[in-house]
Amino acid sequence: MLTHTQARPLIQERLGIAASGEGPLLLVEAPPDQWLALGRLAKAELGCGYLSFVSAVDWKEQGLEVVARVENLEAGFALMMKCKLGAGETRCPSLVPVWRGADWMERECYDMFGVRFEGHPDLRRILLPHDWEGYPLLKSYAVDTPHPPYR
Amino acid sequence: MDIEGRQVLEMGYAGAERLTMNMGPQHPSSHGVFRAILTLEGETVVAVDAVIGYLHRCHEKLSETLTYTQYPSIASKTDYVAAMTSELAYVRAAEMVGKIDVPKRAQYLRVIAAELQRVASHCLWLGTWCLDMGGALGGGATVFLYCIREREDVLDLFESLTGARLLYGFHQVGGTRYDIPAGWAQKCRATVDKIDGRISEFEAMLESNAFFMARTQGVGTVSRELAQEVGISGPLIRGSGVNYDIRRAEPYSSYEDFDFKVPVEMAGDCLARYRVRMVEFRESIKIVRQALDGLPEGPISSRPGVKSVGQVRIPKGEAYARVEGARGEVGCYLIADGSAKPYRMKWRGASFSNLAVLPHIIPGHKVADVVAIMGSVDPVFGEVDR
Amino acid sequence: MLSAIYAFVVGFIVLNAVVGMVTYVTLLERKFAARMQSRIGPYRVGPHGLLQPIADALKLMMKEDIVPRLADRAVYNLAPIVFLVPCMLIFATLPFAPGLGVADLNIGILFFLAVSAMEIVGLFMGGWGSNNKYALLSAMRAVNQIISYDLPFLFVALVPVLLAGSLKLSDIAAAQPDVLHWFIFYPVIGQLAFLAYIVATLAAENRVPFDILEAESELVAGFRVEYSGMKFALIQLGEYAHMIATSFLGALLFLGAWDGPGSAGSPWLGAFYFLLKAMFVFLLVTWIRWSFVRIRVDQILAISWKLLMPVALVLLMATAVVVTWKGPVGG
């Protein structure tokens, strides 16, 4: 069974990315073109079958960052995957081919941040009404933006 | 109904007329506001499109405008049925980032609150699930009223502890806000003893009932792989054979001091999830007794006496704190930037992931099974929509 | 001429008595269910809730009558009446005491069973005319279920007919002159037939555990979902009237109808005993209703065709064999 100490060199070797973080929490930052490869590596070889969440962070001038956390429940370690999309960029590969649960989570990211996941089977708003304008969790969206109270 | 880009999961049934039926946001058994657009062939569900978001209040944006002392009371409004564990996730995240210690007494109080909350939440689950299956005018209502009666006793305990029955504001960064009043420990022991006996009665009543077994056995089976990929947690994943309990995987708040069993069932159907939750009732009661026995003296918070709302400042950093809520893994991914308010807070709701499994398991079942499965998934829409 | 007026008056009295009984039976059910659920039930309206049914009836009569815009008006409006009439008509054949009844037909039980099955038409009309998918689904399930269960119901009801040797309801009652001769106590056949009768009644009346028809939590009142006010009241009236009628029938077929201490002398005492026994059957059904969860429609149909029907047929054949060998009880 793969442990977290063995996982780090494996990531370095396959993708050329150094994993930071201490102990059973690995932190890996991958560029968008290696995002899906990292996901596939995590699921197939690191045994991280459990998808905890996929979300995004708005770093203002530096752009958006997609964050995903997956876990290997048997070995007891977690992999926090981050992908900086770059200033002004909103496209990111989708993780749905790897974990089916990414479906709703990526829809929520799209809904809240406007991140367009390429390869997502059904990208549409999930929490907000389908004709909502704007992406609320972006820092540029004011908390008191007026919106109609009823549909 | 003009949802653009909708791709319905097809089952590939040949011919036959299909009926699109809406189990709309107002429905006696949607457990809150949930819309399921069912495509039916006769009585068999061929596809499910789950529409959520009716209870969306954007907690994540809200938390960026509230300080670390203001938000815990609001956090309870996500999983409002199990509010104690909701608040715990947020304050744990703040404590993890800020490396704030929590005194031992506060940790034990948190455990007592969380486990009592689990008992109360499962009471509600059992009652509403039987209500869905048996009808508001029928045997389901009987079980519902019995379970609510037990839940009321636990809520009375919470009322004497925090002053509120449903949404508490009990936790704060660094510990808890209230201490247990005099005589509370005795009342608590008496209540859990009574509930222990009653749960055995309900279990005997339900499991000897052939109709109940017929409705739940083999219905809504979730495989191990699907369970992990979708990220369901709590009694759902333990009902599918995966031994994953955060209280054991990453013990927090002194859970390693307590002796309790984590039930795991292999079948993955509604009956397995029911059995897991029934065992969890008893294990939670065991933990409450142990915690009351071993409750240490000391302060209840390392940051007592909050004088102003901006008092607690967390230095730059990020952490993901998770707790084992009644429904599964409730997590809070917090990014702090040194001020009194978080930079970004992501709320990982257990019910959001749990509900995401529905479009994968419902097709092929009958309409009546939809309510049985939804009840056994036990969603709370505050957590789904946040 | 006079006999026609007499018949009309008797019929009118019986009809009103039935309606009154239906309203108070709802209160009985609510109180019974409440006690099972550790609560009290209606308590405030009148002493111990005794005026609650009156309040409910007045409320329903005063409610606004909402008709869906796209509903098939003729079908929609007629459905409650088509549903109610057979349910009331079956009371005509019930003899409440020797000589006390509206029309004691020679083919009493056959008339009862045939007419009571006609309520399905009204039910389906209601489901179709409402222009509502829930109502339609419920109507489809209704036709499935009631037809499937009317057959075993019929066969089980024929067991006392064979034992008594006559289709006339008063003959069947007269064939049970004292407690030991009640058909429920007939060795083996009586008990099995009574059990099967209760199960068939539950299904034919859409009572939980067979109430997928109205499955509150799935179909929200089923075929009645679009009805309000007086039409809803008529449907409720029909349902409960049918329930009481089958309770009376069960008491007549199995529990000796008007037999009881002192009933030989006074027909009114006999009628009172009959009422008590009918309420016993009704409460038995209610007790089951408030204790069980509902089962799925495919399981219900499986129970009917694979379990109840063979049992009913076997019982009927066994009764036939016994009666041929020993002769009918009634003579």
Side-chain angles (χ1 to χ4, degrees), chain B residues 7 20 51 73 96 134 144 179 194 214 238 296 303 319 331 347 358:
Chain B
Q7 181 189 327
T20 307
V51 179
S73 322
M96 259 171 126
F144 175 72
D179 202 347
K194 185 168 69 129
R238 291 197 283 279
R303 301 269 181 115
W347 195 269
L358 284 185

Side-chain angles (χ1 to χ4, degrees), chain B residues 20-24 27-29 43 131-139 141-142 145-146 149 209 211-212 214-215 219 368-369 371, chain C residues 36-39 133-134 136-137 140-141 208-211 214 216-220 289-299 303:
Chain B
T20 307
M21 191 169 94
N22 192 32
M23 273 179 82
H27 191 93
S29 66
E43 280 272 334
L131 190 67
D132 288 345
M133 289 202 296
L137 297 175
T142 312
L145 286 167
Y146 293 157
R149 193 186 50 191
N209 189 327
F211 290 152
F212 177 79
R215 275 306 282 278
V219 170
D369 292 329
V371 288
Chain C
M36 279 179 65
Q37 294 169 350
S38 324
R39 24 176 212 109
K133 279 171 193 164
Y134 287 135
L136 188 63
L137 205 63
M140 296 194 301
R141 286 175 171 182
V208 178
F210 302 107
D211 77 336
E214 58 192 44
E216 292 287 316
S217 43
E218 303 157 32
L219 299 182
V220 199
R289 176 194 196 183
W290 291 95
S291 315
F292 283 94
V293 296
R294 166 189 317 132
I295 46 175
R296 272 195 336 246
V297 62
D298 57 323
Q299 293 163 337
I303 291 181

Side-chain angles (χ1 to χ4, degrees), chain B residues 48-207:
Chain B
V48 172
D49 187 14
V51 179
I52 58 176
Y54 290 92
L55 199 54
H56 179 67
R57 298 146 293 174
C58 212
H59 269 260
E60 300 179 1
K61 189 88 176 173
L62 197 61
S63 69
E64 293 170 18
T65 60
L66 295 171
T67 65
Y68 295 103
T69 42
Q70 286 172 321
Y71 190 72
S73 322
I74 311 291
S76 48
K77 293 160 178 48
T78 51
D79 183 357
Y80 43 78
V81 173
M84 287 292 191
T85 39
S86 307
E87 292 173 18
L88 188 54
Y90 179 79
V91 296
R92 272 204 70 224
E95 286 158 8
M96 259 171 126
V97 180
K99 307 219 183 350
I100 299 171
D101 279 329
V102 180
K104 201 75 172 164
R105 187 179 173 85
Q107 291 184 17
Y108 272 57
L109 286 179
R110 283 182 177 181
V111 166
I112 296 173
E115 295 307 316
L116 277 178
Q117 183 69 86
R118 197 186 312 278
V119 169
S121 171
H122 284 347
C123 275
L124 187 72
W125 156 75
L126 186 63
T128 51
W129 189 41
C130 290
L131 190 67
D132 288 345
M133 289 202 296
L137 297 175
T142 312
V143 181
F144 175 72
L145 286 167
Y146 293 157
C147 289
I148 292 297
R149 193 186 50 191
E150 315 313 330
R151 183 178 149 89
E152 286 295 317
D153 291 330
V154 178
L155 293 185
D156 283 343
L157 281 175
F158 281 139
E159 197 183 0
S160 50
L161 179 66
T162 64
R165 273 164 39 97
L166 197 69
L167 302 166
Y168 310 108
F170 177 62
H171 298 265
Q172 63 179 24
V173 177
T176 65
R177 220 160 120 191
Y178 303 102
D179 202 347
I180 59 175
W184 193 87
Q186 263 131 289
K187 237 181 356 165
C188 185
R189 276 183 228 269
T191 306
V192 298
D193 286 341
K194 185 168 69 129
I195 294 182
D196 206 355
R198 292 263 166 82
I199 294 302
S200 309
E201 265 180 50
F202 300 156
E203 213 174 5
M205 205 163 68
L206 288 170
E207 293 203 19

Side-chain angles (χ1 to χ4, degrees), chain C residues 13-24:
Chain C
I13 293 173
V14 168
L15 202 63
N16 280 305
V18 164
V19 172
M21 198 164 27
V22 162
T23 48
Y24 274 88

Side-chain angles (χ1 to χ4, degrees), chain A residues 2-114:
Chain A
L2 199 74
T3 62
H4 58 91
T5 40
Q6 295 165 323
R8 284 174 207 277
L10 197 63
I11 300 173
Q12 175 76 51
E13 175 196 324
R14 290 297 163 82
L15 297 172
I17 309 170
S20 49
E22 313 105 39
L25 178 64
L26 281 74
L27 182 62
V28 179
E29 302 205 9
D33 51 347
Q34 283 187 308
W35 183 240
L36 195 55
L38 177 60
R40 289 193 208 276
L41 178 75
K43 174 110 190 272
E45 298 194 42
L46 298 179
C48 292
Y50 180 81
L51 177 69
S52 189
F53 67 88
V54 176
S55 184
V57 186
D58 182 9
W59 291 110
K60 296 190 199 159
E61 303 83 30
Q62 292 149 31
L64 295 168
E65 180 184 34
V66 175
V67 179
R69 180 185 161 105
V70 296
E71 294 189 33
N72 182 330
L73 297 178
E74 287 85 27
F77 68 87
L79 179 62
M80 190 80 107
M81 304 169 13
K82 296 194 182 190
C83 176
K84 284 207 188 322
L85 301 183
E89 268 294 317
T90 57
R91 286 169 307 150
C92 178
S94 166
L95 288 175
V96 174
V98 188
W99 292 280
R100 278 175 280 183
D103 183 352
W104 278 23
M105 297 182 191
E106 286 176 356
R107 276 177 67 185
E108 190 192 339
C109 276
Y110 165 65
D111 195 0
M112 295 286 125
F113 289 94

Side-chain angles (χ1 to χ4, degrees), chain C:
Chain C
M1 177 66 186
L2 212 60
S3 61
I5 297 177
Y6 175 76
F8 178 78
V9 168
V10 169
F12 185 73
I13 293 173
V14 168
L15 202 63
N16 280 305
V18 164
V19 172
M21 198 164 27
V22 162
T23 48
Y24 274 88
V25 140
T26 55
L27 180 66
L28 176 67
E29 173 160 20
R30 284 170 74 170
K31 283 291 213 183
F32 188 72
R35 290 291 170 173
M36 279 179 65
Q37 294 169 350
S38 324
R39 24 176 212 109
I40 303 178
Y43 193 67
R44 306 253 170 223
V45 185
H48 285 273
L50 281 172
L51 292 180
Q52 180 76 48
I54 314 278
D56 286 339
L58 282 174
K59 174 201 75 167
L60 282 172
M61 281 194 258
M62 292 194 290
K63 276 205 170 193
E64 182 185 348
D65 185 31
I66 304 172
V67 178
R69 188 165 50 92
L70 294 171
D72 191 340
R73 294 197 83 105
V75 173
Y76 178 83
N77 288 329
L78 276 177
I81 303 171
V82 174
F83 182 75
L84 179 66
V85 167
C87 301
M88 289 296 192
L89 207 53
I90 46 185
F91 278 98
T93 57
L94 282 175
F96 294 103
L100 211 69
V102 178
D104 197 10
L105 301 173
N106 275 343
I107 49 157
I109 194 166
L110 204 59
F111 182 87
F112 187 103
L113 293 168
V115 170
S116 77
M118 276 175 52
E119 62 161 9
I120 307 177
V121 179
L123 211 148
F124 195 76
M125 281 170 71
W128 179 263
S130 300
N131 191 46
N132 181 322
K133 279 171 193 164
Y134 287 135
L136 188 63
L137 205 63
S138 151
M140 296 194 301
R141 286 175 171 182
V143 174
N144 256 325
Q145 184 186 308
I146 298 185
I147 289 180
S148 307
Y149 277 91
D150 261 348
L151 281 170
F153 190 65
L154 184 77
F155 288 133
V156 163
L158 284 180
V159 166
V161 167
L162 279 181
L163 288 175
S166 158
L167 283 171
K168 200 168 175 185
L169 283 172
S170 51
D171 281 354
I172 301 176
Q176 305 173 60
D178 56 63
V179 179
L180 296 170
H181 285 106
W182 286 0
F183 286 149
I184 191 178
F185 295 124
Y186 203 89
V188 183
I189 294 178
Q191 286 91 52
L192 284 178
F194 185 65
L195 276 175
Y197 183 85
I198 294 291
V199 174
T201 303
L202 280 169
E205 303 305 321
N206 313 314
R207 281 336 214 181
V208 178
F210 302 107
D211 77 336
I212 43 144
L213 191 68
E214 58 192 44
E216 292 287 316
S217 43
E218 303 157 32
L219 299 182
V220 199
F223 76 98
R224 302 175 298 199
V225 71
E226 293 284 358
Y227 285 99
S228 62
M230 199 60 210
K231 295 197 193 110
F232 181 78
L234 288 179
I235 294 178
Q236 284 289 82
L237 197 63
E239 264 193 37
Y240 273 94
H242 197 191
M243 184 67 242
I244 297 172
T246 43
S247 306
F248 270 105
L249 187 69
L252 191 148
L253 291 176
F254 293 100
L255 293 175
W258 50 72
D259 174 59
S263 65
S266 151
W268 292 101
L269 199 59
F272 177 66
Y273 287 136
F274 196 12
L275 181 68
L276 281 182
K277 289 173 198 174
M279 288 301 107
F280 169 74
V281 174
F282 176 77
L283 284 179
L284 194 62
V285 167
T286 304
W287 188 4
I288 298 174
R289 176 194 196 183
W290 291 95
S291 315
F292 283 94
V293 296
R294 166 189 317 132
I295 46 175
R296 272 195 336 246
V297 62
D298 57 323
Q299 293 163 337
I300 294 179
L301 296 178
I303 291 181
S304 163
W305 292 103
K306 294 184 197 170
L307 180 67
L308 204 57
M309 184 69 139
V311 165
L313 279 173
V314 163
L315 264 179
L316 195 61
M317 287 195 287
T319 315
V321 163
V322 167
V323 164
T324 320
W325 169 40
K326 282 181 148 179
V329 172

